[in-house]
Amino acid sequence: MGHILEHLLNIKKQNGAGYLVLIDPDKQDIESASVLAELSAEADVDAILIGSSFLMSDRLDPMIRSVKQVSGLPVIIFPGSSNHISRYADAILFLSLISGRNPEFLIGEHVKAAPAIKRYGIEAIPTGYMLIEGGSCTSVQFISATLPIPRDKIDIAVAHAIAGELLGMKMIYLECGSGSIQSVPNEMISAVKEQINVPLIVGGGIVDPKEAGEKVRFGADFIVTGNVLEKTGNASLMREFASVIHSAKPS
Ligand code: 1GP
């Protein structure tokens, strides 16, 4: 097992759940991303994800270097395509969009990215990525040209997650898409969690710590927030997220 996955599993073991902050290189310049990263380290965030389903900027390399340097936190690429690779990252969520039926995002982009990931020695964390309907058409839905799983189709979500684990995914990520109006339904989180043994990441549209804590109590092992902090850059909000997430599950 790679160091970063092991680190994440230890966090889950110690704190019940972990908190991942997502930085989108199109929404931040290097300086503001570095400030956010410094605040993350002070606020007890567990790791930083960098990326987006669609990237206009070419800031990935310098941003990852700077964020790593100022925060000392693990930096994990959250890729939208095979171009989103950086030799400076500690790991990459090797996402297969298993809720969709677009071969490019199931295996095509992976084939294109694999040689560089291998060459740079980046730890790849195989992750079954499931897009859930979140009240609007998000960038990931549009760019991936895949249909999200309807919010009320809990059984369909559960079957996808089981299939992901059986295929060897080391994590399952339930995602409503960045900036979604609604977050993943709690009932879906608990139903999926009941049927899988690998860690469950939940993200998209989570805007307050109470909501994050609830998701952890329903079974999320890692919570991702992006937009809410990018807009406010609020250190105390970040601390609140970390503390609620780290204390929501009885140890
Ligand atoms: C998106 O899950 C992440 O991939 C974070 O979403 O920006 O809505 O917090 P938000």
Side-chain angles (χ1 to χ4, degrees):
M1 187 191 305
H3 291 316
I4 300 297
L5 180 58
E6 203 176 348
H7 171 74
L8 294 175
L9 293 177
N10 280 336
I11 286 158
K12 173 173 139 50
K13 210 167 165 187
Q14 278 163 21
N15 294 330
Y19 181 30
L20 312 176
V21 163
L22 172 67
I23 300 179
D24 181 337
D26 276 357
K27 293 188 189 147
Q28 306 285 334
D29 56 23
I30 309 283
E31 206 175 308
S32 58
S34 306
V35 171
L36 203 54
E38 254 184 309
L39 293 177
S40 301
E42 286 161 19
D44 207 17
V45 167
D46 297 300
I48 292 180
L49 300 183
I50 296 193
S52 177
S53 49
F54 179 69
L55 275 188
M56 298 274 283
S57 77
D58 58 359
R59 290 196 271 264
L60 198 60
D61 267 348
M63 188 171 284
I64 288 176
R65 289 182 83 169
S66 173
V67 161
K68 262 187 79 155
Q69 199 190 352
V70 300
S71 71
L73 289 171
V75 176
I76 304 170
I77 301 172
F78 180 62
S81 88
S82 53
N83 296 326
H84 303 170
I85 305 293
S86 166
R87 68 178 77 204
Y88 304 110
D90 296 302
I92 180 167
L93 288 185
F94 206 45
L95 303 172
S96 187
L97 210 175
I98 59 171
S99 58
R101 298 297 180 270
N102 182 345
E104 273 310 300
F105 291 93
L106 282 164
I107 182 65
E109 292 296 313
H110 312 69
V111 172
K112 292 182 221 162
I117 292 175
K118 183 102 182 167
R119 193 162 55 242
Y120 297 148
I122 308 167
E123 177 183 338
I125 304 175
T127 303
Y129 187 64
M130 293 171 47
L131 186 56
I132 313 299
E133 204 272 316
S136 59
C137 179
T138 54
S139 302
V140 56
Q141 180 181 344
F142 184 82
I143 294 293
S144 67
T146 64
L147 267 183
I149 296 176
R151 300 178 67 73
D152 59 342
K153 304 291 185 199
I154 308 270
D155 51 347
I156 292 181
V158 169
H160 277 78
I162 296 173
E165 183 173 18
L166 293 177
L167 280 166
M169 303 295 167
K170 299 285 187 251
M171 297 183 122
I172 296 292
Y173 191 143
L174 293 181
E175 164 79 282
C176 272
S178 193
S180 59
I181 296 166
Q182 294 163 294
S183 54
V184 179
N186 293 336
E187 303 66 40
M188 187 180 278
I189 295 172
S190 58
V192 165
K193 182 64 190 172
E194 233 170 73
Q195 295 293 328
I196 60 170
N197 291 307
V198 293
L200 181 60
I201 309 174
V202 175
I206 298 173
V207 291
D208 82 76
K210 204 171 140 227
E211 185 185 6
E214 220 168 68
K215 305 231 172 282
V216 171
R217 280 188 292 279
F218 274 86
D221 297 304
F222 292 92
I223 296 289
V224 182
T225 69
N227 264 285
V228 68
L229 297 169
E230 284 171 354
K231 276 182 198 148
T232 61
N234 184 329
S236 64
L237 180 62
M238 200 188 271
R239 269 197 296 274
E240 213 183 316
F241 266 112
S243 130
V244 168
I245 290 166
H246 291 149
S247 59
K249 268 188 201 164
S251 48

